[in-house]
Amino acid sequence: MEETITPATADRIPQQRGETLLDTAVRYAEERHWDVFPGTWLEIREDSSGTECCSCGSPACKLPGAHPAREDWATQATGSATVARRLWSKQPKSSILLPTGRTFDALDVPETAGFLALARLERMELTLGPVTLTPNRRMQFFVLPGAGVKMPDLVRKLGWAPSALDLRALGEGDWVAAPPTRFGAQGAVQWARRPTPANRWLPDAEELISALAYACGREARR
């Protein structure tokens, strides 16, 4: 069974030595067959503070350095390693973003609920796909496409109103930030469960929804 990453160990997930954002983006396209597209990046402010800001220029940016850089980002996303290499060659500091609704969807939950669900799913010995852990304390479980359509009914069958849970499906028109993308000064996205040959085949949302809804419901009652 794969080792579960905890909040205390997540920041020690090793990156490949010397790998650049360009290298990582190409690897995601080449090895995982994921579509990728370049997002915003971090720049040093042109003042004496030396702090970093988002390339979008907004001082109130909620995801500095980690969101789409253009409105037509969906058409820019590519599964070609050659095209990915060309895109990041133009702007090597661009964040790595993955569109959902194509190769995978993602179930997005708070970090605390995510680790609780992850432990429960592993005890049940269910097959899990990759899981990201973001600096703003969210976790995203990769599942087969179509989760956005299924999730409301699945949650209702479990006795919950979808609006009562901090659980949402990211599907067509959405995206996730991939490691090692940074969220400003908050830190970098990490893998709570890394992509491996064993988890190339993703679970269906139905297989995870009970554990995730239970964990989110427990958080809601606190």
Side-chain angles (χ1 to χ4, degrees), residues 1-24:
M1 182 179 296
E2 183 173 332
E3 179 187 2
T4 299
I5 304 302
T6 67
T9 62
D11 61 347
R12 297 201 295 271
I13 299 174
Q15 298 291 330
Q16 292 195 15
R17 184 180 296 276
E19 187 171 73
T20 65
L21 288 167
L22 183 154
D23 294 331
T24 306

Side-chain angles (χ1 to χ4, degrees), residues 4 7 16 22 33 44-45 65 79 87 89 91-92 94 100 103-104 111 126 128 135 144 160 177 186 188 200 204:
T4 299
Q16 292 195 15
L22 183 154
H33 305 295
I44 302 297
R45 292 185 187 277
L87 290 172
S89 294
Q91 181 41 261
S94 294
T100 49
T103 312
F104 63 87
E111 176 187 287
L126 290 178
L128 295 173
L144 291 172
W160 296 93
Q186 297 180 64
R200 184 176 296 278
D204 193 280

Side-chain angles (χ1 to χ4, degrees), residues 8-92:
T9 62
D11 61 347
R12 297 201 295 271
I13 299 174
Q15 298 291 330
Q16 292 195 15
R17 184 180 296 276
E19 187 171 73
T20 65
L21 288 167
L22 183 154
D23 294 331
T24 306
V26 168
R27 186 159 54 86
Y28 288 154
E30 198 166 54
E31 297 179 10
R32 298 300 292 196
H33 305 295
W34 288 340
D35 283 3
V36 297
F37 68 98
T40 55
W41 58 91
L42 296 173
E43 298 180 330
I44 302 297
R45 292 185 187 277
E46 294 182 358
D47 56 29
S48 59
S49 68
T51 57
E52 293 179 308
C53 61
C54 187
S55 62
C56 73
S58 171
C61 182
K62 294 180 179 179
L63 294 173
H67 64 84
R70 42 195 280 183
E71 292 185 3
D72 64 342
W73 61 264
T75 64
Q76 191 183 25
T78 179
S80 165
T82 301
V83 175
R85 185 176 298 279
R86 184 168 68 245
L87 290 172
W88 267 269
S89 294
K90 293 178 180 177
Q91 181 41 261

Side-chain angles (χ1 to χ4, degrees), residues 80-129:
S80 165
T82 301
V83 175
R85 185 176 298 279
R86 184 168 68 245
L87 290 172
W88 267 269
S89 294
K90 293 178 180 177
Q91 181 41 261
K93 295 191 294 183
S94 294
S95 55
I96 303 173
L97 306 181
L98 311 175
T100 49
R102 299 186 183 188
T103 312
F104 63 87
D105 280 1
L107 299 177
D108 178 270
V109 298
E111 176 187 287
T112 305
F115 278 114
L116 176 63
L118 190 57
R120 186 179 184 188
L121 290 164
E122 289 186 333
R123 286 196 301 270
M124 296 166 65
E125 298 186 350
L126 290 178
T127 300
L128 295 173

